[in-house]
Amino acid sequence: ALSAPLATDFELSLEPEMLRSALSRVIFAVAGVDSTNQKLSGVNFLLEKNVLTITACDSYRLSSEEMSLERSWPMRSMIVPGKTAVELSRMIVGATEPILFSAGQQGGRAKFVSGTAALEAQLMSGAYIEFRKMIPGEDGNTQSLTIGAEELMAAVRRIGIFSESYIRLTAQEGAGTLIVSANSQDGEAQEELSLENGRGRFRTAVSAKFLAEVLRSVGKTQVTLSTAGTATPISLRAEGL
């Protein structure tokens, strides 16, 4: 059955490759539908002036991407179901024409159009988390390092075999190398990687699975990891993103 025409209050024209890339870098952080906070099972599309920010968070990881728009719009926050975001990312693979994104009133429906294909879904009700308060400020991060994402991901996968939980990332100030290590019942495994640059002594522990998923999403680029200390969140920023 055909749905009734969608009454919209805005329509954005989005570059397909930019949208596909942004979605690929945030979808991995969407919480499951059984999450205690149902809003985290969706992807937040935040419209602010001439920027569209796409964000996902599962309470352990948060990923956010910004897309510049041609004109300014009133602020609008929408939560698109995670399943819909996955379907959208598949629908626009190989698209060359702009993706049209429109939505109705708060709590209404959203529609994405790519050529002759269209995807429509009910927006999730309620307000999304204040995700910007969860992103560590760069001013407080006294430790940082820059390294190739693919090189680090390969090491994390290999060392992660020896640990079911966390791996350690350690770099001494001025050493120019990063040591990726983990302990297991069979002993300790470690690899040494060359750094592009670093600031201060770097030492933290992180889930191998979570870190590999983040690194896989950014592709072939340099990434900068920063933190304020061992027991504080890690911020990962990809070069050029």
Side-chain angles (χ1 to χ4, degrees):
L2 295 174
S3 60
L6 180 66
T8 63
D9 52 15
F10 76 88
E11 182 176 78
L12 305 181
S13 178
L14 305 174
E15 201 282 320
E17 183 56 27
M18 288 182 63
L19 177 59
R20 188 203 62 77
S21 296
L23 288 170
S24 71
R25 290 191 288 267
V26 302
I27 284 176
F28 71 88
V30 175
V33 292
D34 57 348
S35 171
T36 55
N37 186 343
Q38 277 297 297
K39 297 180 184 65
L40 298 185
S41 66
V43 176
N44 183 227
F45 282 65
L46 177 61
L47 189 58
E48 292 179 299
K49 297 183 179 179
N50 64 335
V51 175
L52 175 65
T53 304
I54 303 175
T55 304
C57 176
D58 63 3
S59 76
Y60 297 100
R61 302 164 296 178
L62 185 152
S63 184
S64 188
E65 289 283 328
E66 293 184 349
M67 295 181 61
S68 296
L69 304 174
E70 293 182 353
R71 54 157 287 191
S72 183
W73 296 87
M75 192 184 82
R76 176 79 181 274
S77 179
M78 297 151 284
I79 307 176
V80 174
K83 182 179 179 181
T84 301
V86 172
E87 292 175 353
L88 172 62
S89 67
R90 293 171 180 165
M91 185 181 79
I92 64 177
V93 171
T96 56
E97 299 178 12
I99 308 302
L100 302 180
F101 168 37
S102 56
Q105 296 298 320
Q106 199 74 17
R109 299 181 67 81
K111 185 175 184 179
F112 299 89
V113 177
S114 174
T116 58
L119 178 63
E120 190 173 329
Q122 181 71 38
L123 293 171
M124 300 175 69
S125 61
Y128 198 67
I129 58 172
E130 297 186 45
F131 64 90
R132 289 198 175 102
K133 292 184 178 180
M134 302 170 64
I135 301 175
E138 291 301 314
D139 292 342
N141 289 341
T142 57
Q143 307 174 27
S144 70
L145 57 85
T146 301
I147 192 170
E150 286 192 315
E151 181 184 9
L152 178 57
M153 182 174 68
V156 167
R157 284 177 168 173
R158 289 190 292 266
I159 298 300
I161 295 174
F162 294 87
S163 174
E164 295 181 355
S165 53
Y166 293 92
I167 59 172
R168 296 188 302 274
L169 304 178
T170 309
Q172 300 298 327
E173 187 171 5
T177 56
L178 171 68
I179 296 175
V180 183
S181 62
N183 292 323
S184 70
Q185 294 180 344
D186 300 321
E188 181 180 19
Q190 71 173 40
E191 288 194 26
E192 188 173 296
L193 306 175
S194 297
L195 295 174
E196 294 296 323
N197 59 61
R199 184 181 78 242
R201 179 171 175 266
F202 192 95
R203 184 175 182 179
T204 192
V206 64
S207 163
K209 177 179 180 293
F210 286 176
L211 181 56
E213 288 178 342
V214 176
L215 293 169
R216 186 185 308 115
S217 74
V218 301
K220 299 179 180 180
T221 187
Q222 299 288 311
V223 292
T224 297
L225 282 71
S226 58
T227 182
T230 306
T232 61
I234 300 173
S235 173
L236 185 149
R237 297 180 185 276
E239 184 178 277
L241 301 179

